[in-house]
Amino acid sequence: MRFDTLQQWLDWQETLHPRKIDLSLDRVRVVADALALRERAPVTVVVGGTNGKGTVATMVAALLKALGLRVGLYTSPHLLRYNERVVVDGVPASDSDLCRAFAAVDMARGTCPLTYFEFGTLAAGWLFRERGVDFQVLEVGLGGRLDAVNLWDADVAAITCVDLDHQAWLGDDREQIGLEKAGIMRAGRPVALGEETPPASVLEAALGLGVPVFRLGQDYRLVPDGAGGRWCWADTTMHLGLHPGECERLEGARGRNAATALAVLHLLGLQRQLTADAVRAGLGTSPPARLQRLPGNPEWLLDVAHNPQSARELSGWLAGHPVSGPVVAIVAVMADKERGPIFEALQGQVNVWIPIDIPGARALPASALSRELEGLPGSRVVAAGDPAGAIAAASAAAGPGGRVVVFGSFMTVQAVLESLDPAGAQALTG
């Protein structure tokens, strides 16, 4: 199959497999081996976890690039352009490069019905090999054990945290979900765990594989102090040389993610090569819409929080960064999410809710979401329907000194960004 444009390729890939999600490594391994993608593969870092994995992967890639190494970064999903998913040395792949990679995958697959994500994962690996990268940093899409990126053996793995999300595919509790995420580990190769109390299933899986485990709070930690920040590994201390403002941004989940990214560099044997400038460049990098703040009147905050844990992080950030005016939330969520804990976490931090409709069969209609939100004590719900109307209503409701928060899913943020004028979208996404 051959198409002229990237969008044609992507539209066709959506129809290739009868199911959007079909967790298995069988198909993707066959095609990967036909392309020889696992032969002499680059040094591979695989990053999984319920939340924060995109941030850790992005930071690791930026740290490696700051050391002068060629690095490929694969993340998902994207916000505005598919090209955001495949990045080489900090530059998103061009449409023409992606089309060439898709054509190579299509030729190798024969009649194998790859899913959209599998097709993209193989194309990213093909492009990284063509570019001759030294390292490939791969973010897990869903789970770990059966995710397409797990076709490569991780030289270093990272699991940011384990919490409830995608239970229909991964299991109903942290122990089951943790076991799925532990599937990215390889015998004898180290893993960085980005939470202080990981599930027992993760630790038991590591023990069974002889995996060296390096755990946040036990083996490493980040101290964003007035001395320029310190990253501590066992009995050694590395002064990061950060400015006070930079230290302040390394708080909460972002600080834990930064610590984990530095742990990955340590496990790769590259810690001693890190300079203050390299650390500043690496830890100052973040994918868009992760507590992304746009100063203004009202202020805007973009966050892809879409599960209970990320909602708690968002709530904590809002509590720690109050504004003088109302906080207005533009929100849309997937119907298959456990929504009660998400909104309970944010109760008291949001004054006005504006549900919107977003594309996709999984999306909960704004009318249904409005009824749920109206049941929250003290909630005020404003009907807007489409994102464009929500933007105007939110700006008016927040007023001078207020804040507009956009959250609930990647698609929520995407819908709002696409409804802004081009200059506004560029300002929000940097």
Side-chain angles (χ1 to χ4, degrees):
M1 190 69 65
R2 290 293 184 274
F3 296 103
D4 295 327
T5 69
L6 176 60
Q7 192 58 53
Q8 288 173 333
W9 273 108
L10 296 175
D11 291 343
W12 172 73
Q13 288 170 32
E14 291 274 18
T15 69
L16 184 57
H17 193 283
R19 282 190 265 173
K20 188 177 181 66
I21 299 174
D22 187 10
L23 296 179
S24 170
L25 291 178
D26 296 338
R27 298 178 304 277
V28 74
R29 278 177 177 156
V30 169
V31 183
D33 290 343
L35 290 165
L37 294 184
R38 297 196 291 176
E39 296 177 11
R40 297 182 296 280
V43 177
T44 299
V45 177
V46 177
V47 185
T50 302
N51 296 305
K53 55 185 180 290
T55 298
V56 171
T58 300
M59 285 181 172
V60 168
L63 287 165
L64 292 169
K65 179 178 179 293
L67 295 181
L69 298 162
R70 286 187 62 76
V71 55
L73 171 65
Y74 177 58
T75 60
S76 65
H78 60 278
L79 275 179
L80 295 177
R81 299 179 66 227
Y82 185 93
N83 313 61
E84 299 166 23
R85 298 182 179 221
V86 185
V87 176
V88 177
D89 290 341
V91 179
S94 67
D95 285 11
S96 60
D97 282 342
L98 288 169
C99 288
R100 288 190 303 105
F102 288 152
V105 172
D106 187 43
M107 183 174 294
R109 75 174 182 89
T111 59
C112 183
L114 298 170
T115 66
Y116 180 92
F117 183 76
E118 290 169 345
F119 215 107
T121 301
L122 291 163
W126 184 89
L127 194 57
F128 293 159
R129 185 186 63 184
E130 185 193 60
R131 293 291 185 85
V133 300
D134 303 306
F135 292 81
Q136 57 182 11
V137 183
L138 311 174
E139 178 193 0
V140 169
L142 177 62
R145 181 176 63 91
L146 297 177
D147 188 82
V149 303
N150 201 35
L151 71 91
W152 284 282
D153 293 328
D155 293 284
V156 174
I159 301 174
T160 56
C161 62
V162 178
D163 212 279
L164 300 181
D165 202 5
H166 301 297
Q167 289 98 309
W169 291 283
L170 304 180
D172 294 328
D173 57 41
R174 288 184 76 231
E175 295 299 330
Q176 294 179 60
I177 295 171
L179 191 59
E180 290 296 318
K181 295 187 184 299
I184 66 174
M185 299 187 298
R186 293 297 188 270
R189 300 185 183 183
V191 61
L193 301 182
E195 61 182 334
E196 296 188 14
T197 55
S201 60
V202 174
L203 299 176
E204 290 167 1
L207 180 63
L209 290 170
V211 169
V213 172
F214 300 90
R215 191 195 310 185
L216 178 71
Q218 179 171 299
D219 301 298
Y220 67 92
R221 65 186 184 278
L222 180 65
V223 185
D225 58 14
R230 290 176 291 127
W231 183 80
C232 307
W233 179 275
D235 296 326
T236 65
T237 298
M238 174 184 175
H239 288 276
L240 304 178
L242 300 174
H243 302 312
E246 293 169 326
C247 286
E248 290 173 9
R249 289 193 291 271
L250 295 177
E251 56 186 12
R254 184 171 176 84
R256 295 192 294 274
N257 291 333
T260 302
L262 289 170
V264 170
L265 268 287
H266 181 96
L267 295 173
L268 289 169
L270 298 171
Q271 176 198 344
R272 295 185 183 279
Q273 297 182 33
L274 289 172
T275 63
D277 287 342
V279 169
R280 186 172 295 115
L283 301 190
T285 304
S286 178
R290 273 70 164 185
L291 291 175
Q292 185 177 357
R293 196 174 186 178
L294 180 69
N297 213 354
E299 175 187 89
W300 284 67
L301 182 74
L302 305 180
D303 195 72
V304 294
H306 59 280
N307 54 45
Q309 185 189 49
S310 57
R312 292 192 296 271
E313 291 288 345
L314 174 58
S315 179
W317 189 94
L318 292 172
H321 300 81
V323 290
S324 59
V327 175
V328 181
I330 298 177
V331 58
V333 296
M334 299 298 111
D336 55 10
K337 293 292 181 182
E338 188 179 5
R339 298 182 296 279
I342 293 175
F343 297 121
E344 288 170 10
L346 288 157
Q347 196 172 342
Q349 299 302 328
V350 174
N351 304 109
V352 181
W353 300 92
I354 304 182
I356 61 172
D357 287 311
I358 57 175
R362 290 177 56 216
L364 184 70
S367 57
L369 182 54
S370 292
R371 289 192 293 272
E372 292 185 8
L373 292 170
E374 286 167 354
L376 293 176
S379 291
R380 177 188 166 203
V381 181
V382 173
D386 62 33
I391 291 169
S395 296
R403 174 182 288 144
V404 178
V405 182
V406 182
F407 86 101
S409 73
F410 279 84
M411 293 180 66
T412 309
V413 179
Q414 180 187 48
V416 170
L417 287 175
E418 289 178 341
S419 296
L420 291 169
D421 59 89
Q426 179 62 33
L428 283 171
T429 58

